[in-house]
């Protein structure tokens, strides 16, 4: 692996950012500075922190950024559920985004465990 771009979790995180932007473009205009902005920021934070951690020296720094990334993922999952509850997205849209985010969650959790196990 030569760059963070080679990490499948980074690639999938980048994909979900695009999907979140597409979903939130359908939100009511009064949410532009509320839920729309918040969910986009949390989505962007996921691949950004994976990339930033990759560029850091040392396991502890890397883990710190990976943990920020997974925290942002949990924040995004919560905001997706809020959007669904408010009927800004339908059940099909919610289920698709939620399943993709759960896949990233599993991958990122596993990656964090593997980094922790490194000597």
């Amino acid at each position: 692996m030569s760059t963070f771009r080679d990490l499948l979790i980074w690639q999938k995180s980048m994909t979900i950012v695009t999907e979140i932007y597409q979903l939130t473009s359908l939100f009511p205009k009064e949410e532009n500075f509320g839920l729309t902005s918040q969910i986009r920021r949390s989505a962007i934070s996921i691949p950004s922190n994976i990339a930033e951690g990759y560029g850091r020296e040392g396991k502890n720094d890397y883990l710190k950024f990976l943990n920020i990334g997974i925290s942002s993922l949990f924040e995004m999952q919560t905001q997706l559920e809020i959007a669904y509850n408010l009927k800004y997205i339908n059940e099909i849209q919610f289920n698709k985004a939620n399943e993709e985010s759960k896949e990233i969650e599993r991958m990122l959790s596993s990656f964090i465990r593997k980094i922790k196990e490194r000597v």
Side-chain angles (χ1 to χ4, degrees):
M1 181 172 12
S2 36
T3 76
F4 61 87
R5 289 178 181 85
D6 297 323
L7 293 169
L8 188 57
I9 53 173
W10 181 84
Q11 294 167 10
K12 287 186 176 286
S13 297
M14 289 294 289
T15 299
I16 207 163
V17 170
T18 303
E19 292 171 1
I20 290 296
Y21 265 75
Q22 291 167 342
L23 274 179
T24 57
S25 69
L26 306 172
F27 286 12
K29 294 302 171 208
E30 65 265 17
E31 286 293 349
N32 279 347
F33 300 105
L35 188 57
T36 301
S37 176
Q38 190 67 30
I39 196 169
R40 285 178 174 184
R41 281 197 312 267
S42 62
I44 289 168
S45 181
I46 302 162
S48 298
N49 277 288
I50 293 168
E52 187 168 356
Y54 187 91
R56 297 294 176 134
E57 289 188 29
K59 179 173 83 169
N60 289 337
D61 274 351
Y62 198 9
L63 285 170
K64 175 183 153 188
F65 284 95
L66 291 174
N67 281 308
I68 292 169
I70 203 165
S71 296
S72 295
L73 177 69
F74 294 150
E75 183 180 357
M76 185 195 76
Q77 289 171 342
T78 300
Q79 293 157 356
L80 275 171
E81 198 157 332
I82 292 168
Y84 175 67
N85 290 343
L86 293 170
K87 307 224 183 311
Y88 294 165
I89 57 176
N90 64 39
E91 187 174 1
I92 293 169
Q93 293 167 317
F94 172 75
N95 287 338
K96 182 179 185 298
N98 192 47
E99 283 307 310
E100 290 172 2
S101 76
K102 294 288 187 184
E103 181 183 13
I104 294 168
E105 178 184 342
R106 288 186 296 273
M107 292 172 70
L108 198 46
S109 294
S110 175
F111 191 57
I112 289 169
R113 276 193 307 277
K114 286 178 184 173
I115 298 292
K116 284 180 179 178
E117 292 169 359
R118 282 188 191 166
V119 177

